[in-house]
Amino acid sequence: MVLAAACTAALAQPKSDWEIEQETRDWKEAEVPMPAYPKPENLIEFEDVSNRSFKFFVDGPSLIAGKDGAVRYILVARSNAGAENVTFNGLRCKTSAHKVYALGRADKTWAPAQDGEWKELSRKPGARPHQVLMRDFFCPSGIPILSRDEGVQALREGIHPHAVSYQPGMGKR
């Protein structure tokens, strides 16, 4: 158990600029078509225990395990008052990077993100749902899922079977 905790701590260490540059040097991003706008019946809820003001969902059909090692998905964040924020996102497990491709509009169309660059997934409050998706569902132990079905199954079960997620005093979830 101590070894697992040490490995988790090592995985959580921020990467140096040199490490990130080496990992991205030869990487080529796949062409990414815009997915269809999400339908309510396709939303799969996942829990972010640190945020009780919003419910979070992934649109199952939008989930893509890319051949380039990136996982892409639509995230729906719904406030307790019913307001929704819809975004099309990507995660790079190898570099712990996140990208917003597009923002959902009220008329159920997409607006391309103004700053569509890959950025290190930070600890800012708005990044938390993406961190949960990376750690517990789409990049278990830092390795990207291989298929949509694998990601959807992890979401439905509440955690990927290979995820190493620790909370103080609770052990592995």
Side-chain angles (χ1 to χ4, degrees):
M1 186 138 180
V2 172
L3 179 59
C7 289
T8 300
L11 288 173
Q13 295 293 326
K15 295 185 180 193
S16 70
D17 290 342
W18 183 86
E19 288 172 308
I20 293 170
E21 182 180 329
Q22 296 306 306
E23 291 175 347
T24 60
R25 182 178 55 195
D26 297 324
W27 183 71
K28 182 167 171 42
E29 184 172 7
E31 289 291 320
V32 181
M34 274 313 142
Y37 207 82
K39 296 178 181 174
E41 63 269 18
N42 294 331
L43 299 180
I44 305 167
E45 187 173 1
F46 69 96
E47 188 174 14
D48 177 1
V49 296
S50 70
N51 191 332
R52 299 292 182 199
S53 300
F54 284 85
K55 289 186 177 185
F56 297 99
F57 306 85
V58 170
D59 174 58
S62 72
L63 185 56
I64 303 165
K67 293 189 186 311
D68 59 1
V71 179
R72 296 170 181 91
Y73 55 95
I74 293 173
L75 175 71
V76 176
R78 187 177 297 147
S79 75
N80 292 337
E84 282 191 348
N85 183 11
V86 180
T87 55
F88 178 47
N89 304 272
L91 293 173
R92 285 198 61 214
C93 304
K94 192 171 189 177
T95 60
S96 296
H98 171 254
K99 178 177 182 174
V100 177
Y101 289 95
L103 308 170
R105 296 180 180 135
D107 66 357
K108 301 192 183 318
T109 62
W110 295 109
Q114 290 183 354
D115 183 18
E117 299 293 322
W118 288 100
K119 295 183 180 172
E120 186 175 347
L121 199 54
S122 66
R123 295 181 184 252
K124 294 178 183 175
R128 179 74 180 145
H130 304 288
Q131 293 168 338
V132 170
L133 288 170
M134 179 175 275
R135 181 193 67 216
D136 292 345
F137 301 101
F138 301 155
C139 304
S141 301
I143 300 168
I145 57 172
L146 298 176
S147 69
R148 172 183 295 133
D149 290 344
E150 182 182 356
V152 166
Q153 182 175 351
L155 286 164
R156 288 192 174 132
E157 292 180 2
I159 194 164
H160 192 284
H162 297 122
V164 179
S165 178
Y166 285 88
Q167 293 195 358
M170 300 202 47
K172 184 177 178 186
R173 300 194 322 164

